[in-house]
Amino acid sequence: MDDSILKNIKSPDDVKILNEEEIHKLSLEIRDFLVENISKTGGHLAPNLGVVELTLALHRVFQSPKDKIIFDVGHQSYVHKLLTGRWDRFHTLRQFEGLSGFPKFSESDHDHFETGHSSTSISAALGMALARDVKKEEGEVVAVIGDGALTGGMSFEALNYAGHNKDCKLIVVLNDNEMSISANVGGLSSYLNRLRTDSKYTKIKGDIQYLLKKVPAIGGKLYKSLERVKGSLKYLLVAGILFEELGFKYLGPIDGHNIHNIEEILQKAKKVKGPVLVHVITKKGKGYLPAEENPDVFHGVGVFDKDTGQVKESSGTSYTSVFTKSILVAAEKDERIITITAAMKNGTGLKEFATKYPHRFFDVGIAEQNAVTMAAGLAKAGLKPVFAVYSTFLQRGYDQVLHDVCLPELPVILAIDRAGIVGADGETHQGIYDIAFLNHIPNMTIISPRNGQQLHQAVITAFKLNSPVAIRYPRDVIPEALVDYTRETIITNKVEKLTDGKDILIVTTGAITDVVLKATETLKQRGVRGTVLHFPFIKPFDKKGLLENTNKQDFTNTLIIEDHVEIGGLTSIVSRIYTEAGIGSKITSLSLPDKFIEHGSRNEILHKYGMSEQGISDKVLEILGLTGDKKYGKENKIRPVVG
Ligand SMILES: Cc1ncc(C[n+]2csc(CCOP(=O)(O)OP(=O)(O)O)c2C)c(N)n1
Ligand SMILES: CC(=O)[C@@H](O)[C@H](O)COP(=O)(O)O
Ligand SMILES: [Mg+2]
């Protein structure tokens, strides 16, 4: 980077003083920089390649931090980070203790709102704009939202209210690249498509007007009758009518890769008194052919060869791939089985199902609330819906699970992927709350398999239960055993005693059990033998099984290990049972503390919080007084858990 412009960008002010040629050079440099770095770290390459010019224009027109720019989802804020003095840390992107992949207050005053979950930017921007007016302050507030994020219902709640506040100046920039993670869906997407293509018609219309004016004798009458044509002409005459009807001034659509045009339309937007929506059309993955050709693959990509575009494949199976196969086996035999995704078809392993059963697959866009209650409707109508969803995104549908699925006890299956520590996405994406927010809902069953075979059995069991069932499993972890998909055995909630020993009782659930068993092997070499109990069901919990095991052997110490927050998780369940039964065994919890858990690889984070193989065996030695004061996962506190 010897004649680099980027190297000299310390703040957006340094971008404002560049001339057109330097800006063009900088945009090329940024693209090369993104491909070079993200090929090594992984990350959201395609979304960021698509917003290079847009972000440059935003920081040339607006005066951040006085003007506030909020990035919806925030996965496309890398260019913003490069322009706000963080290019020299960019090689640490999404690494443990490195730059986050999302906006973070702790990183910069230019990060005006922390995002990660979709469709929040307009609400946040509206709040800031209303606050500005209440406090009689100055400054623009700009929400940058993608066409995918706009399918999130929250966006329309905000648009509805913002449009009503005619005097509240708010700028919404719609970054329309026709893509969510895969192709965007729904009526909104078709509408935006018409707006995009209408812009071509608008040009044709202009040509017609010009020609008709040339021959007034014919032109006048002909043009008037054309004007009367209903339908699509209305769109030509009032582009962006949907937004205009909501109270927004609609500007665009314009080419989102032409910095000059973007700056021009943003200057125009600044002059609009009330709420204004600027529609820019971009290409996801722009400037790097493999990403342009496969924007879904390069939406959130792992390490790849930048010269060939070859993405490094993860080895072996994953829980997601087991779910994919299990649901296909089940669907083969039962045509009532339906699958639903909220814009996460690939990540939740439903791509194959969608191809094989296109009429039994529904992608509702980024609309988890709609997905859950639509599943309830499907179930009420006698079908067998499975909503495959990341744990963190299911948080969006909590009330729908309670109110529309569990209260009426409808047979909806929640295939909860990315349960537990997810790694590089950090705080906004950890799947560590689902037991806590599901366990207290009546009529809910929660299955927490510890390997691929149990996941397969869980899918079979869920269909047989014919009631609300959640099955939780982690990202990327390779289940330790091969799966026999021909086996139709169910899984029960009976506790599994996986090892026998008198020194300590270890209670666990789910995929982390694999690590626990490896740790107990290590402990054997130190002469320590513990009893490991695995609970395949969180709910209904096998309380009888726990008591039988504790009463048979009076354990002085119980260590509870869960890839979940302590509050509301397995620790809470066991503590309560001990308290009720008057069991005096001292409980220690290896779980996630009451704080938001940062990004890093899954193993690094589990290690930090004491849940690596080493951490678990050290903790056991510590509890049994067999080691110095070596502490693991400094956040973990050894204390008797009050019931
Ligand atoms: C509530 C929620 N559901 C799902 C996701 C996963 N997700 C992240 S980005 C994305 C697609 C966003 O599409 P768009 O807003 O068009 O941005 P683009 O990637 O096209 O730039 C999705 C579904 C999320 N972040 N939040
Ligand atoms: C930004 C966003 O929310 C998604 O792209 C998410 O990062 C996908 O996570 P996975 O990589 O685990 O599929
Ligand atoms: Mg998009």
Side-chain angles (χ1 to χ4, degrees):
M1 295 216 326
D2 39 340
D3 62 342
S4 156
I5 298 177
L6 179 57
K7 189 176 68 174
N8 299 312
I9 303 288
K10 300 286 181 282
S11 87
D13 293 342
D14 300 326
V15 176
K16 291 178 174 63
I17 55 173
L18 299 176
N19 63 36
E20 225 160 295
E21 190 200 336
E22 287 164 331
I23 276 290
H24 177 66
K25 189 170 175 296
L26 176 58
S27 65
L28 297 176
E29 189 181 340
I30 287 173
R31 282 200 163 84
D32 289 346
F33 186 86
L34 287 173
V35 172
E36 174 68 32
N37 279 276
I38 297 171
S39 69
K40 295 175 192 142
T41 62
H44 291 91
L45 178 64
N48 284 281
L49 288 171
V51 295
V52 172
E53 290 79 12
L54 174 58
T55 311
L56 282 164
L58 284 164
H59 278 299
R60 284 164 59 85
V61 171
F62 296 103
Q63 319 290 333
S64 176
K66 175 173 161 288
D67 293 338
K68 302 181 184 344
I69 304 170
I70 295 153
F71 290 91
D72 203 290
V73 182
H75 65 311
Q76 82 299 51
S77 62
Y78 298 177
V79 182
H80 160 77
K81 293 196 174 198
L82 294 179
L83 303 182
T84 50
R86 287 170 269 184
W87 69 266
D88 55 349
R89 292 185 57 211
F90 200 74
H91 63 283
T92 69
L93 181 73
R94 293 157 50 97
Q95 317 293 306
F96 186 54
E97 296 177 345
L99 269 187
S100 166
F102 300 93
K104 284 281 180 262
F105 298 144
S106 58
E107 284 184 17
S108 168
D109 290 346
H110 295 287
D111 290 9
H112 295 290
F113 202 70
E114 295 196 347
T115 44
H117 281 192
S118 175
S119 319
T120 63
S121 63
I122 304 175
S123 300
L126 178 56
M128 291 176 195
L130 290 169
R132 172 202 59 207
D133 298 350
V134 165
K135 296 195 292 181
K136 297 185 175 35
E137 289 174 347
E138 296 300 317
E140 300 289 354
V141 184
V142 183
V144 181
I145 186 166
D147 56 304
L150 201 58
T151 61
M154 214 178 139
S155 301
F156 276 85
E157 291 171 16
L159 284 176
N160 176 52
Y161 193 67
H164 167 75
N165 280 272
K166 289 258 176 287
D167 305 330
C168 180
K169 176 62 183 301
L170 173 69
I171 299 173
V172 174
V173 176
L174 171 57
N175 168 34
D176 180 6
N177 54 22
E178 298 182 66
M179 295 288 289
S180 184
I181 291 188
S182 29
N184 204 355
V185 297
L188 177 72
S189 175
S190 318
Y191 173 66
L192 293 178
N193 188 37
R194 252 202 316 285
L195 282 180
R196 279 191 295 274
T197 47
D198 277 0
S199 57
K200 295 187 191 85
Y201 290 169
T202 309
K203 187 170 171 325
I204 297 168
K205 186 194 126 211
D207 296 346
I208 294 171
Q209 279 172 323
Y210 174 73
L211 288 173
L212 293 176
K213 283 198 180 100
K214 276 275 177 206
V215 189
I218 311 164
K221 286 197 203 71
L222 182 56
Y223 184 69
K224 283 225 175 344
S225 53
L226 268 179
E227 290 275 345
R228 281 195 295 278
V229 169
K230 290 280 171 274
S232 65
L233 201 57
K234 182 175 64 176
Y235 292 100
L236 301 184
L237 298 179
V238 188
I241 189 153
L242 173 69
F243 303 109
E244 296 264 343
E245 291 296 296
L246 285 174
F248 277 74
K249 172 74 184 146
Y250 172 85
L251 300 178
I254 58 142
D255 173 3
H257 297 296
N258 179 318
I259 296 183
H260 178 76
N261 289 359
I262 306 167
E263 288 186 35
E264 204 174 52
I265 204 165
L266 292 177
Q267 292 292 0
K268 214 169 150 190
K270 280 175 77 170
K271 295 190 181 80
V272 172
K273 289 271 165 295
V276 55
L277 184 133
V278 179
H279 185 184
V280 297
I281 296 170
T282 61
K283 184 170 187 55
K284 197 163 184 173
K286 175 89 177 174
Y288 180 61
L289 196 56
E292 285 191 9
E293 289 173 344
N294 301 287
D296 54 345
V297 171
F298 283 84
H299 167 85
V301 68
V303 170
F304 64 92
D305 179 325
K306 67 178 173 41
D307 299 324
T308 64
Q310 189 58 43
V311 182
K312 188 163 168 281
E313 290 302 321
S314 54
S315 61
T317 62
S318 63
Y319 278 86
T320 307
S321 63
V322 171
F323 166 71
T324 299
K325 292 195 186 72
S326 289
I327 203 73
L328 286 168
V329 165
E332 191 75 38
K333 297 169 192 151
D334 188 340
E335 60 186 17
R336 291 171 297 173
I337 293 174
I338 303 286
T339 61
I340 301 169
T341 182
M344 301 298 287
K345 175 176 68 171
N346 302 349
T348 57
L350 288 177
K351 194 170 180 179
E352 221 176 311
F353 186 102
T355 308
K356 193 165 181 185
Y357 303 107
H359 305 299
R360 291 162 58 186
F361 167 77
F362 300 109
D363 180 353
V364 296
I366 311 180
E368 289 81 4
Q369 297 176 329
N370 177 38
V372 174
T373 304
M374 195 177 94
L378 284 156
K380 185 71 183 72
L383 295 182
K384 297 189 167 187
V386 180
F387 176 32
V389 58
Y390 290 10
S391 169
T392 189
F393 303 142
L394 181 61
Q395 291 163 196
R396 277 282 167 87
Y398 168 76
D399 184 51
Q400 287 71 20
V401 171
L402 189 148
H403 181 271
D404 302 323
V405 173
C406 291
L407 178 56
E409 203 167 356
L410 292 169
V412 170
I413 295 173
L414 301 170
I416 304 179
D417 200 328
R418 272 57 170 189
I421 292 293
V422 293
D425 279 334
E427 292 88 345
T428 52
H429 285 62
Q430 304 296 6
I432 56 178
Y433 310 103
D434 50 70
I435 296 174
F437 70 74
L438 293 173
N439 192 26
H440 56 264
I441 306 179
N443 303 331
M444 173 54 83
T445 296
I446 306 172
I447 308 178
S448 171
R450 64 181 173 89
N451 60 35
Q453 194 65 46
Q454 287 196 351
L455 174 53
H456 178 57
Q457 288 173 272
V459 171
I460 292 164
T461 307
F463 284 119
K464 289 185 187 314
L465 285 174
N466 204 24
S467 62
V469 179
I471 308 169
R472 69 186 307 264
Y473 44 93
R475 178 185 202 278
D476 259 0
V477 174
I478 310 295
E480 96 289 351
L482 288 181
V483 178
D484 175 359
Y485 294 97
T486 59
R487 265 168 52 191
E488 292 275 318
T489 45
I490 63 164
I491 185 170
T492 73
N493 77 327
K494 290 288 158 271
V495 66
E496 294 177 287
K497 186 175 187 178
L498 300 176
T499 65
D500 210 347
K502 296 184 169 41
D503 299 331
I504 189 168
L505 176 66
I506 299 177
V507 174
T508 188
T509 184
I512 195 83
T513 306
D514 199 25
V515 182
V516 173
L517 292 173
K518 289 186 179 119
T520 48
E521 279 309 303
T522 317
L523 287 163
K524 271 187 195 161
Q525 289 146 32
R526 295 285 300 267
V528 174
R529 278 173 173 57
T531 292
V532 174
L533 297 182
H534 172 253
F535 288 86
F537 279 51
I538 292 292
K539 185 172 191 177
F541 191 76
D542 183 10
K543 177 176 168 183
K544 186 165 165 284
L546 174 65
L547 294 176
E548 275 167 4
N549 278 284
T550 44
N551 293 335
K552 212 183 296 170
Q553 169 68 38
D554 185 15
F555 290 102
T556 312
N557 289 290
T558 297
L559 174 60
I560 301 168
I561 303 171
E562 55 183 314
D563 181 4
H564 183 277
V565 288
E566 173 183 326
I567 300 168
L570 188 59
T571 305
S572 299
I573 297 167
V574 173
S575 306
R576 180 173 175 73
I577 293 170
Y578 273 26
T579 306
E580 277 175 349
I583 292 170
S585 182
K586 182 173 168 238
I587 288 177
T588 303
S589 173
L590 266 183
S591 53
L592 294 158
D594 184 18
K595 68 185 279 275
F596 287 104
I597 305 301
E598 66 274 40
H599 64 270
S601 76
R602 177 182 156 82
N603 289 338
E604 283 168 328
I605 299 300
L606 288 174
H607 181 73
K608 175 174 180 181
Y609 292 97
M611 284 182 269
S612 60
E613 194 183 318
Q614 181 69 50
I616 292 169
S617 54
D618 282 0
K619 180 65 71 183
V620 170
L621 295 174
E622 191 179 291
I623 292 169
L624 300 178
L626 298 174
T627 173
D629 59 356
K630 183 176 166 195
K631 290 269 182 293
Y632 246 81
K634 55 184 181 310
E635 279 71 9
N636 276 290
K637 303 170 187 64
I638 299 177
R639 63 186 180 286
V641 180
V642 180

